[in-house]
Amino acid sequence: MTDNIPLQPVRQKKRTESKHNRGCCPCVGCCGNRELRPRTVWLGHPEKRDQRYPKNVINNQKYNFFTFLPGILFNQFKYFFNLYFLVLACTQFVPEFRLGPLYTFWVPLAFVLLVTIIREALEEIRCFVRDKEVNSQIYSKLTTRGTVKVRSSNIQVGDLVIVEKNQRVPADMVFLRTSEKNGSCFLRTDQLDGETDWKLRLPVTCTQRMPTAADLLHIRSYIYAEEPNIDIHNFTGTFTREDSDPPTNESLSIENTLWASTVVASGTVVGLVIYTGREQRSVMNASNPRSKIGLFDLEVNCLTKILFSALMVVSLVMVALQHFVGRWYLQIIRFLVLFSSIIPISLRVNLDMGKIVYSWMIRRDPKIPGTVVRSSTIPEQLGRISYLLTDKTGTLTQNEMVFKRLHLGTVAYGTDSMDEVQSHIFSTYTQPAQDPPTQKGITTKVRKTMSSRVFEAVKAIALCHNVTPSYESNGVTDQAEAERQFEDSCRVYQASSPDEVALVQWTESVGLSLVGRDQSSMQLRTPSGQILNFTILQIFPFTYESKRMGIIVKEDSTGEITFYMKGADVVMAGIVQYNDWLEEECGNMAREGLRVLVVAKKSLSEEQYQDFEARYVQAKLSVHDRSLKVATVIESLEMEMELLCLTGVEDQLQADVRPTLEILRNAGMKVWMLTGDKLETATCTAKNAHLVTRNQDIHVFRPVTNRGEAHLELNAFRRKHDCALVISGDSLEVCLKYYEYEFMELACQCPAVVCCRCAPTQKAQIVRLLQERTGKLTCAVGDGGNDVSMIQEADCGVGVEGKEGKQASLAADFSVTQFKHLGRLLMVHGRNSYKRSAGLSQFVIHRSLCISTMQAVFSSVFYFASVPLYQGFLIIG
């Protein structure tokens, strides 16, 4: 086969990552590079530690007090342009080489260095103030003396910390207790992994059962935790209580953790700190900030070397015309100093002043209000970008899922016809004689009325989910009263997916509201105010492997047992009864950029459910192949289910995203979308934003786990032409491990690339590989804390101030308020800055060549003497 990719030896990376070596404090790193090991942490006793742990201090500064000046000087003089002027100025201390007063050479050099030092100092001070604000946040800590207040920077491994609702988690902790009645809490993790889905977290069962939080200090228990690592999606540990009879052991997983940089979304929680400072998951996934040098400055540095060669030639010619008399080698050095204006230090001064003007113009542009320039050294980079790498959630989209379509096969309801759905629901409950909605065991073959079909679809959507309503005080009604009365104005929906919330909010808008839920029951309210009570018998959560979720409920008033299921069309097509419209309509809705879910149901008799429950419990108790046996039992129910409807939801795009991307593509940029979100959601957003045009095919890279599978899938992808690529983070990691060169070669040929389920370190790795393999400039755009590594690694980092906070915008080189401002920032200000700097540098070099020519003529007239034509402040001016 001619298009097979030959197997290549694995390339070992020689680059040493420094992100794990970040110091734990603003001073010189005190913790060293000690080996990371597992640990045993006793509850409430930080003094019982088996090793030394870093301080819980956030430090995003590039320098500390001791390295500030040496670091800046090193970064300045490691380039030939600045080193040349330093050596030139130093030669004036030697009497034989001095051509005038010392200030002739030292004043311009000192001015340039002073401007650089002041600029870096201001940036470091701003960064220090931001870090101090985070490190000074106050938290409550449980001690034997009661609850005490403590700063975030003083929290230690082993502390029992209380985190209130809407408060940031200060360190990596194991979840011990919650104030929520349902015994769980939700976390907002958008600053960690970029996902806006709220994550459900469960406390340790043993500690949650205790009467009060203070009892945690009176038990003899500890947690064994794995060594710190960068994996934010997994955790392995055990909880042990020694003073119980018998001793209690409980396994811990990711569901029992509260990672730093997440926010508690419900209730008050108590956690045991297990990782602090640089050992936190969020810190280990971040990269050290670096000083960025623009490509234009590197080109000027290269041009300086060419001019220096010309300077050497001119000096040798002048000495040769003197016939190398006397100490001619000293004359060469004097002529090098005399003609040093060929390499003008004014070029550096003028370019730095120009950068300041460009930055001022960007900030003052009324068409992109709120834009902030945090790095004034690289505005020319903006006009030379070849690859734009963007986050999805909050950058291209608004983080708001909206219900767009309900399709019943013969009729579809859009946003402009939802009032018809509402009227059908209303008529179902106001005319029960014609079409009773709660009739037990609907198995008749009589064609159902449209109202009945709509009601069954809406009821299924209102029941098949993992959404939990919670009630908050609104200033008029307190929380307890609101919960008793199911007050609409106080109700807030919590879920692990924004899609779920959008579906439940839509059922509420058409008349069927979810008003209550706990671990075993659910309550719906009808348009007439009647409360329908349902018992949750079983729930089968959504997984990325199954791509569907199901629930078995029993209606208390009728005793009817129903199995509801919803999922992706690719898996539901083989579960529902035969129909001739599912595949076609799913394709139509997907082409509109909607995320499609297929909803189905199956009525069960009491005997059928009892038989299923017995087999299900037995499967869950099996020791070997438990997951396989459980899946087999569930699949026995998933046959010949009744297809109810299709739902279509859409993540609202930011304003003018489509025209902005169109402008950037027409300018020759390739756009890559790197997101931590799910594959289906990322693909829908790419279509909706026209990142993938309608006439382009999409190749979804199949999941691969080893070298052979990666080889086959790369061969299949290589046969595609003009095809956008969609790949998951796990498959990307395998491909880069074995076929880095081949994969990057193919990916760079694609008109667009979408990488989903990407970890923060993977985003930075992709940026780095693009820079190394293509040699082109990259621009990274993001709005969350998980985008910081990518933004800092790119040649230009742009942060968007959005709902995910300001962490990305504060770490970026440029900050904008909306994605649509990116077009003007790159295509107007970036391009003009580059053209102006290019014209300015040509003018300054041309002027210097004229000055050097006059100096050469002057020296030739006076018998090739190394005497300066311009004296003192004249040459400085």
Side-chain angles (χ1 to χ4, degrees):
M1 186 181 297
T2 58
D3 58 350
N4 275 346
I5 301 175
L7 293 176
Q8 298 290 338
V10 180
R11 296 174 174 80
Q12 299 295 331
K13 298 195 180 296
K14 298 182 180 180
R15 187 190 306 109
T16 57
E17 300 293 343
S18 60
K19 58 177 175 286
H20 304 317
N21 300 332
R22 178 182 297 186
C24 63
C25 54
C27 304
V28 178
C30 63
C31 297
N33 297 327
R34 64 179 181 81
E35 182 184 359
L36 301 177
R37 295 179 296 166
R39 60 199 57 191
T40 299
V41 184
W42 292 83
L43 269 66
H45 297 283
E47 68 279 359
K48 293 183 178 181
R49 54 187 183 186
D50 54 358
Q51 53 184 296
R52 186 181 181 186
Y53 304 118
K55 293 182 179 179
N56 193 47
V57 177
I58 301 299
N59 178 25
N60 290 310
Q61 296 171 250
K62 290 184 287 187
Y63 310 103
N64 58 47
F65 179 80
F66 299 102
T67 63
F68 176 72
L69 196 58
I72 289 180
L73 294 178
F74 173 76
N75 285 329
Q76 292 299 308
F77 294 124
K78 69 180 179 180
Y79 296 102
F80 180 81
F81 186 85
N82 296 326
L83 182 62
Y84 167 76
F85 288 108
L86 176 65
V87 173
L88 193 67
C90 289
T91 60
Q92 298 306 291
F93 289 110
V94 180
E96 288 85 356
F97 303 147
R98 183 178 298 175
L99 297 178
L102 289 176
Y103 62 74
T104 305
F105 292 91
W106 280 101
V107 168
L109 182 62
F111 174 77
V112 171
L113 292 177
L114 185 63
V115 170
T116 302
I117 291 174
I118 292 175
R119 183 178 62 218
E120 291 287 343
L122 291 176
E123 292 182 1
E124 285 294 290
I125 291 173
R126 284 196 293 264
C127 189
F128 172 77
V129 171
R130 293 196 300 265
D131 290 343
K132 185 178 180 180
E133 181 181 351
V134 174
N135 294 326
S136 300
Q137 291 180 353
I138 302 298
Y139 292 87
S140 298
K141 182 174 76 170
L142 286 176
T143 66
T144 53
R145 303 187 307 274
T147 303
V148 298
K149 299 295 183 182
V150 61
R151 289 189 175 190
S152 174
S153 57
N154 294 330
I155 291 175
Q156 305 177 57
V157 172
D159 285 344
L160 293 173
V161 179
I162 301 174
V163 184
E164 305 287 343
K165 181 179 179 181
N166 294 325
Q167 196 172 22
R168 185 185 71 90
V169 178
D172 288 353
M173 304 192 300
V174 169
F175 185 15
L176 299 180
R177 284 183 59 84
T178 177
S179 62
E180 291 290 280
K181 294 180 181 179
N182 57 10
S184 63
C185 84
F186 282 96
L187 282 184
R188 294 200 298 268
T189 63
D190 43 19
Q191 291 294 318
L192 183 67
D193 57 15
E195 295 187 39
T196 55
D197 309 357
W198 288 9
K199 304 298 189 302
L200 182 68
R201 291 293 183 261
L202 303 174
V204 177
T205 305
C206 177
T207 54
Q208 178 64 23
R209 291 172 180 168
M210 293 183 177
T212 64
D215 294 333
L216 295 172
L217 296 169
H218 302 139
I219 62 174
R220 181 175 175 81
S221 58
Y222 62 87
I223 286 177
Y224 175 82
E226 64 181 353
E227 70 278 0
N229 59 71
I230 65 174
D231 190 353
I232 61 177
H233 299 294
N234 293 288
F235 173 73
T236 303
T238 55
F239 171 85
T240 302
R241 180 177 179 180
E242 294 184 336
D243 57 354
S244 62
D245 189 21
T248 302
N249 289 288
E250 187 174 340
S251 64
L252 304 177
S253 66
I254 187 66
E255 291 183 340
N256 307 113
T257 60
L258 305 170
W259 293 146
S261 298
T262 60
V263 177
V264 176
S266 62
T268 300
V269 305
V270 179
L272 175 70
V273 177
I274 55 173
Y275 306 124
T276 55
R278 61 186 176 86
E279 293 181 345
Q280 297 174 5
R281 292 292 206 270
S282 57
V283 176
M284 296 184 76
N285 273 282
S287 58
N288 285 327
R290 63 185 181 93
S291 298
K292 296 183 181 180
I293 303 298
L295 177 61
F296 185 85
D297 293 328
L298 295 177
E299 290 173 343
V300 169
N301 188 65
C302 182
L303 184 61
T304 302
K305 297 176 182 179
I306 298 175
L307 291 176
F308 181 75
S309 300
L311 174 61
M312 288 291 296
V313 171
V314 172
S315 301
L316 286 172
V317 168
M318 298 300 288
V319 174
L321 293 175
Q322 289 182 335
H323 305 291
F324 295 100
V325 295
R327 293 191 296 177
W328 57 269
Y329 47 87
L330 295 180
Q331 288 296 318
I332 291 180
I333 297 178
R334 284 182 62 86
F335 275 118
L336 285 175
V337 176
L338 189 65
F339 292 116
S340 61
S341 57
I342 290 180
I343 307 174
I345 195 171
S346 60
L347 177 60
R348 172 67 189 274
V349 178
N350 280 275
L351 289 178
D352 283 351
M353 298 301 291
K355 294 175 190 293
I356 295 175
V357 173
Y358 306 150
S359 302
W360 178 83
M361 294 174 67
I362 293 174
R363 288 192 295 264
R364 300 281 294 183
D365 190 346
K367 294 184 178 180
I368 48 175
T371 301
V372 178
V373 180
R374 304 190 188 278
S375 178
S376 59
T377 60
I378 54 172
E380 300 93 352
Q381 297 275 80
L382 294 170
R384 309 178 69 179
I385 301 299
S386 298
Y387 286 91
L388 178 70
L389 301 102
T390 176
D391 179 41
K392 180 190 77 71
T393 308
T395 305
L396 297 179
T397 64
Q398 299 179 15
N399 293 354
E400 296 178 359
M401 303 298 290
V402 179
F403 190 94
K404 289 288 188 180
R405 188 75 53 81
L406 177 69
H407 205 298
L408 301 179
T410 56
V411 63
Y413 298 97
T415 53
D416 56 347
S417 56
M418 290 304 174
D419 54 339
E420 297 182 30
V421 178
Q422 190 173 8
S423 65
H424 283 308
I425 298 297
F426 184 78
S427 66
T428 301
Y429 285 98
T430 55
Q431 303 173 13
Q434 297 180 8
D435 189 25
T438 57
Q439 184 180 352
K440 183 177 178 180
I442 301 177
T443 57
T444 177
K445 296 296 184 179
V446 179
R447 181 179 295 275
K448 299 175 182 177
T449 65
M450 185 54 64
S451 293
S452 174
R453 294 178 60 194
V454 171
F455 166 75
E456 290 183 5
V458 174
K459 181 181 176 183
I461 297 171
L463 289 171
C464 188
H465 52 73
N466 61 5
V467 180
T468 301
S470 62
Y471 293 85
E472 302 176 348
S473 174
N474 62 358
V476 178
T477 308
D478 63 18
Q479 183 174 348
E481 180 66 20
E483 191 166 354
R484 284 195 300 270
Q485 300 296 328
F486 298 135
E487 187 68 37
D488 289 345
S489 60
C490 302
R491 186 165 58 247
V492 178
Y493 292 120
Q494 297 175 344
S496 61
S497 170
D499 303 13
E500 301 272 74
V501 175
L503 293 174
V504 173
Q505 287 177 338
W506 175 78
T507 62
E508 179 183 5
S509 69
V510 297
L512 201 57
S513 305
L514 173 69
V515 293
R517 179 173 183 162
D518 55 28
Q519 299 285 2
S520 59
S521 66
M522 196 183 311
Q523 293 80 40
L524 300 181
R525 185 170 60 195
T526 67
S528 60
Q530 178 188 0
I531 302 298
L532 304 179
N533 293 293
F534 296 85
T535 301
I536 301 175
L537 300 178
Q538 301 289 346
I539 185 166
F540 315 113
F542 176 89
T543 64
Y544 297 112
E545 292 76 22
S546 65
K547 292 184 172 56
R548 59 189 182 274
M549 69 92 55
I551 188 171
I552 300 178
V553 297
K554 180 178 182 179
E555 188 168 356
D556 293 354
S557 61
T558 63
E560 179 185 358
I561 300 176
T562 309
F563 173 36
Y564 292 104
M565 175 167 282
K566 68 180 180 185
D569 58 306
V570 291
V571 295
M572 294 296 290
I575 293 175
V576 299
Q577 297 171 351
Y578 173 77
N579 60 86
D580 57 358
W581 59 272
L582 176 61
E583 183 178 356
E584 180 182 357
E585 295 302 332
C586 285
N588 293 336
M589 294 171 67
R591 279 188 287 274
E592 295 178 26
L594 301 180
R595 185 176 183 190
V596 184
L597 288 176
V598 180
V599 183
K601 80 165 192 175
K602 186 176 187 178
S603 296
L604 302 176
S605 64
E606 188 70 31
E607 294 76 15
Q608 286 177 313
Y609 175 72
Q610 293 297 336
D611 175 65
F612 165 78
E613 185 181 33
R615 291 184 290 116
Y616 184 64
V617 171
Q618 185 179 0
K620 289 204 298 183
L621 292 177
S622 62
V623 178
H624 303 289
D625 299 327
R626 177 186 300 176
S627 58
L628 179 61
K629 292 178 180 178
V630 169
T632 302
V633 174
I634 297 176
E635 288 175 1
S636 66
L637 277 185
E638 300 173 344
M639 293 186 298
E640 294 297 312
M641 298 189 69
E642 179 186 353
L643 175 59
L644 296 180
C645 64
L646 305 180
T647 63
V649 295
E650 179 186 57
D651 195 352
Q652 294 289 88
L653 294 176
Q654 296 279 10
D656 297 328
V657 163
R658 292 169 181 166
T660 301
L661 290 177
E662 187 69 25
I663 291 173
L664 297 178
R665 280 202 303 266
N666 290 339
M669 295 185 201
K670 289 189 175 182
V671 183
W672 289 30
M673 186 170 76
L674 314 180
T675 176
D677 219 330
K678 308 175 187 69
L679 186 143
E680 294 84 1
T681 308
T683 305
C684 288
T685 302
K687 294 177 181 177
N688 197 21
H690 293 176
L691 185 65
V692 179
T693 60
R694 293 184 179 275
N695 58 352
Q696 283 178 347
D697 293 330
I698 297 180
H699 178 81
V700 179
F701 207 90
R702 291 188 305 168
V704 296
T705 57
N706 54 55
R707 183 172 183 168
E709 292 177 354
H711 182 241
L712 294 175
E713 190 61 22
L714 282 172
N715 280 333
F717 175 48
R718 196 173 197 180
R719 300 186 188 100
K720 304 291 183 68
H721 299 284
D722 193 30
C723 181
L725 172 64
V726 179
I727 186 171
S728 67
D730 294 336
S731 299
L732 176 67
E733 185 176 357
V734 174
C735 290
L736 294 181
K737 181 179 180 181
Y738 297 111
Y739 300 109
E740 178 183 298
Y741 176 80
E742 291 82 358
F743 175 80
M744 292 304 299
E745 180 185 18
L746 294 174
C748 291
Q749 296 173 2
C750 295
V753 176
V754 177
C755 298
C756 57
R757 307 297 296 172
C758 266
T761 51
Q762 281 185 314
K763 294 184 177 184
Q765 182 186 15
I766 293 171
V767 173
R768 188 163 53 246
L769 287 174
L770 276 176
Q771 294 169 338
E772 294 173 354
R773 296 298 180 187
T774 66
K776 303 295 182 65
L777 295 185
T778 59
C779 176
V781 189
D783 71 321
N786 64 310
D787 302 317
V788 170
S789 297
M790 171 179 71
I791 286 173
Q792 292 179 339
E793 188 65 40
D795 297 295
C796 283
V798 180
V800 181
E801 294 186 9
K803 294 184 179 180
E804 294 188 22
K806 294 185 177 182
Q807 191 171 352
S809 63
L810 293 176
D813 305 306
F814 303 89
S815 174
V816 296
T817 56
Q818 298 182 57
F819 183 83
K820 67 178 182 180
H821 294 165
L822 192 64
R824 183 168 179 83
L825 181 66
L826 298 180
M827 306 311 300
V828 177
H829 289 286
R831 193 63 184 166
N832 286 341
S833 297
Y834 173 55
K835 292 172 66 177
R836 288 164 180 160
S837 289
L840 178 63
S841 60
Q842 290 174 1
F843 166 75
V844 173
I845 292 175
H846 180 267
R847 182 188 62 188
S848 299
L849 291 176
C850 291
I851 294 174
S852 299
T853 301
M854 288 186 283
Q855 177 66 61
V857 172
F858 177 79
S859 297
S860 300
V861 170
F862 289 93
Y863 304 100
F864 309 106
S866 54
V867 179
L869 173 62
Y870 306 101
Q871 300 290 334
F873 279 101
L874 183 61
I875 192 64
I876 294 178

